[in-house]
Amino acid sequence: MPPPPPITNTIRRLRFDHGEMTQQQLADRIGMTRQTVAAIEQNKYSPSLEAAFRIAEVFGVEIGEVFQWKAEQTPGS
Amino acid sequence: MTMREKVAWISTLTSLVIFGWYFLSVWADFAANRLDGDVLFWRFIWCTGIALAIMLPASLLAARLGRQEFDPVPDELERGVERGAYRIGLVCLELSLVGIVLVSRWVTDMARADYPADPAGATAVMLVNLVLFVMAASALAREIAVIVQFRRYA
């Protein structure tokens, strides 16, 4: 398993801001298992772009509000 | 724990016990120079039947107790885990089959020496069981890879 990219997310906070949505409820909304949502939330697994958009859509926010790139340096800089 | 991981655990433990016993019995027969293709064939059929009779109800029970679907559509993480595990299983199988080809000459010589009445039949029995062994070992490696990857994401 490759190391996860330096991406953080605010899924946990967004879930609680949306009526304390459970991981299972979010998983059901995006067609994933609760375990996959937990792995994404803990930055153990980086979801596909489609899954990232689906998560953002559930919370009604832009994808950048859910996932943030935390790299110190970008290639070539 | 996802249903896929539960199935992998059930499959791994059942295979280790049932087919572990089968291949130990084949080894014991081989060591005692009393390999019998007919006996081994029916022993293998029985072991496969018993393994299926354990795995299927155990998986159904695990799904029921966990209130999960028995065979859910895999999500992207599960597909990735399965892809990686299948790749490991395939590599194991390919390398093992090449290994069987390399030892086939030695198997033939041994069959000629130990079973002079029917060396061709003995060769076939030994090679078939070697193929069965590497298939079972590759499947086991695949299931263990599934478990390890799911544990790393847990």
Side-chain angles (χ1 to χ4, degrees), chain A residues 1-2 4 38-46, chain B residues 151-154:
Chain A
M1 187 171 66
I40 294 169
E41 208 172 282
Q42 294 166 39
N43 285 324
K44 289 182 178 174
Y45 171 69
S46 289
Chain B
R151 286 297 88 207
R152 290 173 81 173
Y153 284 121

Side-chain angles (χ1 to χ4, degrees), chain B residues 51-129:
Chain B
L52 285 176
I54 292 172
M55 280 193 269
L56 195 61
S59 300
L60 285 167
L61 185 67
R64 192 176 172 83
L65 290 176
R67 295 189 181 127
Q68 291 166 299
E69 277 184 69
F70 174 61
D71 188 22
V73 178
D75 66 20
E76 61 181 49
L77 186 148
E78 291 175 319
R79 282 196 297 271
V81 164
E82 284 183 354
R83 217 169 20 242
Y86 270 81
R87 201 177 302 131
I88 289 169
L90 185 62
V91 169
C92 287
L93 185 62
E94 285 175 341
L95 292 176
S96 304
L97 287 176
V98 171
I100 288 177
V101 171
L102 293 176
V103 301
S104 62
R105 176 69 190 271
W106 175 70
V107 169
T108 310
D109 290 344
M110 207 163 39
R112 275 201 199 102
D114 295 342
Y115 299 90
D118 185 14
T123 302
V125 169
M126 284 190 237
L127 287 179
V128 162
N129 276 284

Side-chain angles (χ1 to χ4, degrees), chain B residues 24-45:
Chain B
L24 274 177
S25 76
V26 173
W27 179 256
D29 287 356
F30 168 75
N33 280 353
R34 54 181 167 80
L35 282 176
D36 184 328
D38 198 42
V39 170
L40 290 179
F41 172 79
W42 286 109
R43 197 182 292 163
F44 179 76
I45 295 294

Side-chain angles (χ1 to χ4, degrees), chain A residues 9-17 21 23 41 59:
Chain A
N9 68 77
T10 54
I11 295 174
R12 189 177 170 80
R13 183 179 58 75
L14 287 165
R15 280 197 300 110
F16 281 93
D17 289 348
M21 183 189 289
Q23 288 179 337
E41 208 172 282
F59 296 123

